[in-house]
Amino acid sequence: MYAQLVKSEGKKSAEEMSPEERAFQDRVDRGEKIEPKEWMPEGYRKTLIRQIGQHAHSEIVGQLPEGNWITRAPTLERKAILLAKVQDEAGHGLYLYCAAETLGISRDQLLDKLHDGSMKYSSIFNYPTLTWADIGAVGWLVDGAAIMNQVPLQKTSFGPYSRAMIRICKEESFHQRQGYDIMMKMAQGTPEQKAMAQDALNRFWSPALMMFGPSDKESVHSAQSMAWKIKIDTNDELRQKFVDQTVPQAEYLGLSIPDPNLKWNEEKKGYDFSEPDWTEFFEVIAGNGPCNRERLGARVKAWEDGAWFRDALVAHAEKDAARRAAARVAAE
Amino acid sequence: MSSEWPLWEVFIRGQHGLNHRHVGSLHAPDAEMAIKNARDVYTRRNEGVSIWVVKSVDIAASSPSDKGPLFEPSNSKVYRHPTFFSIPDEVGHM
Ligand SMILES: [Fe+2]
């Protein structure tokens, strides 16, 4: 999802655990929240840094494909809405960075790891937004998939992460609805507009399914993360839920899901559908998606171009503090 | 050469008459910028009427291992709760 392929460690059995680890697991099992200064297994801390960091990076990089259309939104109202939406994503990134920092990694370290490629962001943001309908598809499908994953994470065991998720979820449904609203407008518009909406759905459907990551039913990493309650559902469960929720929404729009194998399965009370192309997924994760270089390049450039400004503000703050201190001494 | 901006804890008064509540933290070079950033990060939907910021390093906190000695003494003092005392119905509301 926003955090895909997060490496954890193999799940430990009760006998393999130290007394501290067992006491920790009991707290998690009882539904207690773990707070930053409390004892936690090193693997828990490390996995959370990777997961929350990747989630934060996704929010920040995720501003780029949508930011692409702010200056070209079709009306002033749409522009204002998109601006507010993209600003929310920046806020979400900031909540999450703060949560990650409570685990003992600094903001600059997190950003360095994004910039040097050692930490990832969601594969979905390496696809281009070619038309205005893509902005609709992103809000509807990408934010929709994000919500699927984030709602259960509100109950995650790590206090700061859980609280960040609660704030984010409160703001997220605006994102999905504004996207769907764009899709409705396009789908009910001229034949050309409807074709654009269908084209956006065609291009974003499969990448949206990939957001949940490959099947992890058998993954030991996932088993440990689930025991720690930093992962709540399996990737397949979330993907199924997403498909079941999205198909009727596409039907309402009069658009068709680009999957010939999509079929209602009465027995499982859900849709059968084709697996996305996992070779493509791994290529995108490895840095070879359509926009990887552009996205990361934009982040690195923004960071480097802003360095003098960040430094200037620090210099100003230091001078100001010195001036105040001197004035205090003089007054005494 | 670049030094990281310090971390600030942000407290927001949601409405007149309520306490300021901790909502999260952020990085900023100084207090003035911290308040401006807090406005953008934590009150995009009209969540507050007042903001406090304080440098995270200036906060002193109790340690999780002190939880017992700090808070357990109050466990045995049930008489601090009004429900400890039963008042006859005839007395009326008290
Ligand atoms: Fe969003």
Side-chain angles (χ1 to χ4, degrees):
Chain A
M1 148 67 348
Y2 271 23
Q4 298 154 321
L5 297 177
V6 174
K7 263 189 265 145
S8 177
E9 34 182 65
K11 185 172 182 293
K12 279 193 183 171
S13 66
E15 300 80 64
E16 290 169 306
M17 287 184 199
S18 68
E20 279 157 315
E21 285 173 325
R22 218 164 309 146
F24 176 85
Q25 188 61 52
D26 288 344
R27 291 190 59 199
V28 171
D29 293 344
R30 280 197 301 270
E32 281 181 33
K33 294 285 182 233
I34 308 300
E35 296 298 337
K37 296 268 154 55
E38 295 169 342
W39 188 88
M40 60 185 77
E42 198 46 26
Y44 178 84
R45 200 180 65 81
K46 283 197 178 138
T47 308
L48 266 179
I49 288 177
R50 278 190 217 111
Q51 180 172 332
I52 303 174
Q54 202 181 108
H55 197 156
H57 296 327
S58 299
E59 302 284 353
I60 297 301
V61 177
Q63 295 177 96
L64 296 168
E66 290 180 295
N68 183 32
W69 280 89
I70 289 173
T71 55
R72 290 178 284 158
T75 68
L76 189 57
E77 189 187 39
R78 293 282 181 197
K79 187 199 290 252
I81 293 170
L82 184 57
L83 204 51
K85 198 258 184 198
V86 173
Q87 190 193 23
D88 270 358
E89 305 299 0
H92 296 179
L94 294 179
Y95 307 156
L96 287 160
Y97 281 132
C98 287
E101 283 173 88
T102 64
L103 292 159
I105 185 163
S106 78
R107 179 77 56 97
D108 284 10
Q109 283 173 319
L110 284 164
L111 292 176
D112 285 346
K113 283 174 186 288
L114 170 68
H115 298 158
D116 72 17
S118 57
M119 274 178 103
K120 304 283 181 209
Y121 54 89
S122 175
S123 57
I124 190 74
F125 301 118
N126 292 310
Y127 291 86
T129 44
L130 304 175
T131 73
W132 174 250
D134 288 11
I135 299 306
V138 167
W140 172 35
L141 301 173
V142 176
D143 288 89
I147 292 171
M148 273 294 123
N149 178 262
Q150 290 171 167
V151 165
L153 277 176
Q154 294 179 95
K155 290 184 296 203
T156 186
S157 59
F158 187 54
Y161 193 26
S162 159
R163 292 189 285 273
M165 280 298 126
I166 291 168
R167 281 195 80 91
I168 288 175
C169 285
K170 260 194 222 153
E171 301 179 344
E172 202 75 80
S173 86
F174 147 55
H175 297 177
Q176 193 185 15
R177 281 166 172 241
Q178 67 85 36
Y180 196 71
D181 189 61
I182 293 174
M183 291 307 271
M184 283 199 293
K185 198 86 186 171
M186 302 287 287
Q188 293 159 4
T190 63
E192 289 83 359
Q193 286 171 323
K194 187 168 180 186
M196 272 167 79
Q198 181 65 56
D199 174 58
L201 172 57
N202 291 350
R203 281 180 291 106
F204 276 96
W205 176 252
S206 177
L209 295 186
M210 291 179 204
M211 287 175 68
F212 300 97
S215 180
D216 60 355
K217 307 195 266 280
E218 264 119 56
S219 155
V220 285
H221 299 303
S222 291
Q224 179 59 79
S225 289
M226 288 177 109
W228 282 333
K229 290 196 189 146
I230 58 183
K231 183 177 175 72
I232 312 289
D233 305 279
T234 68
N235 295 348
D236 290 322
E237 284 165 350
L238 291 172
R239 190 169 15 249
Q240 183 69 53
K241 258 189 172 171
F242 174 74
V243 172
D244 293 344
Q245 176 194 281
T246 309
V247 172
Q249 296 168 352
E251 278 167 5
Y252 179 83
L253 294 172
L255 301 179
S256 50
I257 303 280
D259 178 0
N261 298 319
L262 186 91
K263 211 170 124 246
W264 177 254
N265 180 333
E266 185 56 32
E267 214 171 297
K268 73 171 184 188
K269 299 275 176 219
Y271 286 90
D272 290 331
F273 55 93
S274 310
E275 287 277 309
D277 178 355
W278 293 114
T279 325
E280 175 181 319
F281 171 78
F282 286 108
E283 277 297 309
V284 174
I285 292 283
N288 304 318
C291 300
N292 293 58
R293 232 152 297 165
E294 186 185 330
R295 301 287 185 244
L296 203 52
R299 288 313 312 155
V300 171
K301 184 177 183 321
W303 180 249
E304 286 174 355
D305 289 357
W308 70 271
F309 182 68
R310 292 192 301 277
D311 290 342
L313 290 185
V314 172
H316 171 75
E318 280 167 0
K319 264 192 197 164
D320 197 48
R323 199 173 42 79
R324 277 169 210 256
R328 221 175 302 127
V329 171
E332 272 162 16
Chain B
M1 120 112 218
S2 286
S3 57
E4 203 163 348
W5 288 350
L7 192 65
W8 301 76
E9 299 301 325
V10 180
F11 300 81
I12 307 262
R13 187 198 297 284
Q15 291 168 35
H16 292 290
L18 296 183
N19 287 321
H20 282 78
R21 241 182 96 213
H22 182 244
V23 293
S25 49
L26 50 76
H27 288 270
D30 58 26
E32 194 190 333
M33 287 297 294
I35 288 175
K36 288 196 169 119
N37 289 354
R39 197 270 317 255
D40 290 345
V41 179
Y42 291 108
T43 66
R44 287 192 303 281
R45 286 171 178 74
N46 221 7
E47 288 95 336
V49 294
S50 159
I51 300 174
W52 287 351
V53 294
V54 58
K55 269 195 188 152
S56 307
V57 291
D58 292 335
I59 291 187
S62 67
S63 109
S65 57
D66 286 346
K67 205 169 130 202
L70 273 178
F71 304 113
E72 264 158 29
S74 65
N75 275 349
S76 55
K77 294 168 185 66
V78 280
Y79 42 79
R80 284 210 161 113
H81 298 280
T83 45
F84 179 76
F85 307 92
S86 55
I87 302 292
D89 285 349
E90 299 91 292
V91 178
H93 177 75
M94 185 181 283

